[in-house]
Amino acid sequence: MNKKSNKRYQKNKQRIQTTLISLLQEKELSKITVQEICETLDINRSTFYYHYMDIFDLAEQVFKETNRRLLERMKKEFHLIPFSEKSAILFFEYIKENKEIYKASNLMRIEFPFNEGKSQMVEMFTARHHQSLSDDAVMYEIIFFQAGLTFVLRKWLDHDCSDPIVSL
């Protein structure tokens, strides 16, 4: 049986995700079908549905995995001062490397992504202020920061990340 810890299960899951990322470089998410992914990989639709409910579930999982890797990279470079120019450049470089995924994510997003990365943001903001702010004040600062960053990213992605990172 194809269990989640099984190498074949993992390999198929990774191949499906990689194919989606590849197709996103050619067309919008709404134009990609399960049939197209299955034909590209020469797999049955049942294999796809064993891993994902639909294209949007696949895209959401790819986005979550991409964000997880971004957070790992930022933690690895945590010696950089949070919200410094160096950490911002690192962040925007990663977004640019994965722009197709982030473009698709922005088109799918229904709610503001407050809970994504919330604990990491709280940790960084608290460290920045050395706990001089109340919990509520930190939350408002995070919401303000995330809202601004979200709209900067959307505009930058709409321009295909063509504006120089240092201008952001």
Side-chain angles (χ1 to χ4, degrees):
M1 184 161 203
N2 213 3
K3 302 276 184 192
K4 290 184 179 183
S5 60
N6 182 314
K7 286 183 182 180
R8 190 166 124 200
Y9 174 93
Q10 293 300 326
K11 183 179 177 185
N12 280 333
K13 186 173 182 176
Q14 184 60 47
R15 288 177 63 221
I16 293 168
Q17 290 183 1
T18 302
T19 300
L20 175 68
I21 293 166
S22 176
L23 290 170
L24 283 170
Q25 294 174 18
E26 301 168 16
K27 58 177 107 178
E28 292 180 17
L29 180 65
S30 62
K31 307 271 191 237
I32 299 171
T33 65
V34 171
Q35 180 177 343
E36 182 177 16
I37 289 174
C38 292
E39 286 175 0
T40 301
L41 293 173
D42 194 27
I43 61 172
N44 293 321
R45 291 173 67 90
S46 60
T47 301
F48 178 92
Y49 289 117
Y50 186 71
H51 295 277
Y52 307 101
M53 291 187 305
D54 55 26
I55 288 289
F56 299 103
D57 180 40
L58 166 60
E60 185 66 25
Q61 287 191 40
V62 167
F63 180 67
K64 285 179 180 180
E65 176 61 23
T66 304
N67 274 348
R68 187 192 61 73
R69 288 193 315 265
L70 170 61
L71 290 172
E72 273 182 16
R73 184 185 281 186
M74 296 302 286
K75 278 185 178 182
K76 185 175 160 187
E77 300 295 332
F78 195 71
H79 65 278
L80 296 174
I81 299 168
F83 314 110
S84 67
E85 185 176 345
K86 285 183 180 182
S87 65
I89 288 171
L90 179 72
F91 175 82
F92 283 108
E93 284 173 346
Y94 184 84
I95 299 296
K96 188 173 185 175
E97 291 166 14
N98 297 282
K99 66 183 175 184
E100 287 80 13
I101 297 165
Y102 285 101
K103 282 181 183 180
S105 167
N106 275 328
L107 293 174
M108 290 176 19
R109 198 167 299 290
I110 297 168
E111 295 180 14
F112 187 71
F114 179 67
N115 287 323
E116 294 173 21
K118 179 181 171 185
S119 61
Q120 292 84 355
M121 294 286 285
V122 169
E123 185 180 315
M124 288 190 289
F125 272 86
T126 303
R128 181 174 170 221
H129 292 294
H130 304 289
Q131 299 176 335
S132 63
L133 296 177
S134 70
D135 289 346
D136 284 341
V138 169
M139 283 298 127
Y140 282 117
E141 191 172 326
I142 290 170
I143 292 168
F144 181 80
F145 176 80
Q146 279 190 320
L149 182 60
T150 297
F151 286 100
V152 167
L153 281 174
R154 283 184 179 165
K155 181 175 173 141
W156 192 50
L157 288 165
D158 285 345
H159 291 133
D160 202 36
C161 303
S162 60
D163 299 324
I165 291 173
V166 293
S167 72
L168 303 175

